[in-house]
Amino acid sequence: MIQRHTLQRNFVHLTRYGVIPSMRNTVQRRLASSEMPKLKGAADNAFNRERLAVKQHAAASSDLWRKLTIYVAIPSLILAAINARNLWIEHWEHWETLPPLEDRIEYDYMNIRTKKFFWGDGDKTLL
């Protein structure tokens, strides 16, 4: 793998001699902003070193969660949706094979009501 500073040095060399001057500022800013800052002088203290370590850890952790979301969660949701759709279709295919509601046998344990509905004759649901 080519080191970042080597790429930056080669790009600066190409832009200095006019090979690709229009992109020099954009790429130089991008390459400069992607490296972690080095602490020097008074800024090199325990507090700033700890903040830098936390920032690096957060970058790695967020990258892990981004990859988990893209490669695990989204495909799992798609598979769950496909499974739910297939089960829904199976359910209604099975429902169509049953006799109409009016022709079915009513057993004692079906439609148990301890209290009448407060509309109509008290025996029919809203559906």
Side-chain angles (χ1 to χ4, degrees):
M1 185 170 160
I2 300 174
Q3 297 295 323
R4 185 179 302 270
H5 67 278
T6 306
L7 287 174
Q8 188 175 11
R9 186 180 66 230
N10 290 342
F11 187 78
V12 169
H13 177 73
L14 290 173
T15 56
R16 186 176 296 152
Y17 294 106
V19 177
I20 37 180
S22 63
M23 302 223 4
R24 176 175 48 173
N25 290 336
T26 306
V27 174
Q28 280 181 337
R29 269 185 281 144
R30 173 66 184 112
L31 289 172
S33 67
S34 62
E35 293 180 12
M36 287 293 177
K38 303 283 190 226
L39 300 173
K40 295 179 184 173
D44 188 18
N45 57 36
F47 176 74
N48 285 339
R49 283 192 299 271
E50 183 179 350
R51 279 184 61 197
L52 186 61
V54 168
K55 190 175 183 179
Q56 290 170 346
H57 173 72
S61 180
S62 66
D63 187 50
L64 169 73
W65 283 106
R66 182 183 59 82
K67 287 178 183 174
L68 281 173
T69 301
I70 292 171
Y71 299 118
V72 176
I74 293 174
S76 297
L77 287 171
I78 291 169
L79 290 174
I82 291 169
N83 183 42
R85 182 179 176 276
N86 289 340
L87 290 174
W88 177 262
I89 290 170
E90 279 181 29
H91 169 71
W92 286 110
E93 286 174 354
H94 168 71
W95 190 262
E96 290 171 354
T97 62
L98 297 174
L101 286 175
E102 299 82 27
D103 297 342
R104 293 189 196 160
I105 302 171
E106 281 199 39
Y107 294 101
D108 293 337
Y109 62 86
M110 298 173 77
N111 298 323
I112 296 176
R113 293 188 178 58
T114 57
K115 185 166 100 174
K116 291 186 177 245
F117 292 122
F118 60 88
W119 58 83
D121 63 357
D123 190 40
K124 296 203 175 29
T125 64
L126 290 175
L127 302 175

